[in-house]
Amino acid sequence: MCGRYAASRNPDDLAIEFEAVKADGQKPMPADYNVAPTKDVYVVRHKKERDAEGALTGGGHRELRAVRWGLVPSWAKDVSVGNRMLNARVESLTDKPAFRTAARIRRCLVPADGWFEWAKRLDSPTKQPYFITPQVGSVLAFAGLWEVWGRGEDRLYTCTVVTQPAVGALTEIHDRMPLVLPPDRWAAWLDPTREDVENLAVPTPPELVEALELRPVSTAVNNVANNGPELLARAESVAEPADQPALF
């Protein structure tokens, strides 16, 4: 499961990192150290190019765009359905009506510094939050799906984060994790001509997981109103997490 993450990089740096063009007419979003569902987030997607008359040219490029977190299928009657579409389980991408079309032709990358997860503790009823992030400080790319709802100026772009069963040391904290894609899989995931979803959505490589830091942080992150780099600071004297049951 991925229900909270951090994204502090500015759009100029993200555009360079992902070799993308920033979407027209969007104001830069500030760094967010406590990204919560229904917030606007950056994604990288394949944008089809059109000529002056609006006809498709057959070309395309990577676009960095702000969208709302919580996928709203094009056929939904109301945007509130997105509040329940924060994550898409990799096991059912091609089966669930809300995700199967997007999984086939509307995939995206969700840039992140890392994500938060909460583990049960043996010494307290309060769960301990962890920030899971690359040890070297590099950017992460979650596999995601995007959709557009509505027409004209009222169009709403939304996304969801694809999740997989946790592996390695992450299983000590939670039984799910985002499907994190290494850079050598970004192009294939974004390619709209690739419809072999099962091959594209293979698990995160073990070596990438082994390079992640599982950093205990303050419970201040529990409150979505709190924000700032201090939320990512290591909390000292934290007990080992209890074994996690399968919750999701």
Side-chain angles (χ1 to χ4, degrees):
M1 180 176 180
C2 177
R4 206 82 64 79
Y5 68 95
S8 67
R9 287 170 169 79
N10 67 57
D12 291 328
D13 291 341
L14 289 175
I16 294 172
E17 181 78 27
F18 289 90
E19 300 179 348
V21 176
K22 293 185 293 183
D24 294 334
Q26 292 192 329
K27 295 182 179 179
M29 294 192 299
D32 194 338
Y33 299 90
N34 200 357
V35 181
T38 73
K39 280 188 173 183
D40 285 344
V41 301
Y42 281 121
V43 302
V44 178
R45 65 168 190 151
H46 176 87
K47 179 179 173 60
K48 296 179 179 179
E49 295 174 349
R50 298 176 181 271
D51 60 23
E53 285 71 43
L56 292 172
T57 65
H61 62 269
R62 293 183 186 181
E63 179 188 62
L64 180 73
R65 166 175 283 273
V67 306
R68 194 173 80 172
W69 185 15
L71 188 133
V72 180
S74 60
W75 43 259
K77 294 182 179 180
D78 188 87
V79 297
S80 63
V81 70
N83 299 339
R84 304 189 303 275
M85 302 289 182
L86 311 174
N87 293 158
R89 295 172 70 99
V90 71
E91 300 93 327
S92 56
L93 281 184
T94 58
D95 299 326
K96 291 194 70 170
F99 302 135
R100 61 191 178 198
T101 300
R104 188 165 50 86
I105 59 174
R106 285 189 289 276
R107 297 180 297 270
C108 64
L109 302 171
V110 184
D113 302 336
W115 76 96
F116 296 97
E117 201 54 81
W118 283 257
K120 287 187 176 181
R121 295 176 56 166
L122 295 173
D123 63 340
S124 170
T126 303
K127 289 186 176 182
Q128 172 62 49
Y130 284 81
F131 183 58
I132 304 164
T133 187
Q135 297 176 14
V136 296
S138 55
V139 68
L140 291 177
F142 301 153
L145 311 176
W146 67 273
E147 272 284 8
V148 59
W149 184 89
R151 296 178 180 276
E153 295 299 321
D154 294 328
R155 285 181 298 177
L156 175 67
Y157 287 82
T158 62
C159 74
T160 188
V161 173
V162 178
T163 67
Q164 67 168 56
V167 296
L170 298 182
T171 59
E172 299 178 12
I173 297 177
H174 201 276
D175 67 325
R176 304 290 298 180
M177 62 174 283
L179 173 56
V180 182
L181 299 177
D184 62 2
R185 287 172 54 184
W186 292 356
W189 182 257
L190 293 175
D191 186 350
T193 68
R194 292 282 302 270
E195 297 187 6
D196 52 331
V197 179
E198 292 83 358
N199 294 327
L200 296 173
V202 294
T204 300
E207 58 271 21
L208 193 159
V209 176
E210 292 168 2
L212 296 174
E213 175 188 0
L214 282 59
R215 182 189 306 165
V217 295
S218 166
T219 54
V221 72
N222 296 358
N223 187 339
V224 297
N226 293 332
N227 213 314
E230 66 277 4
L231 297 181
L232 310 187
R234 173 175 290 274
E236 303 300 333
S237 302
V238 173
E240 292 295 321
D243 290 337
Q244 294 299 297
L247 299 178
F248 298 92

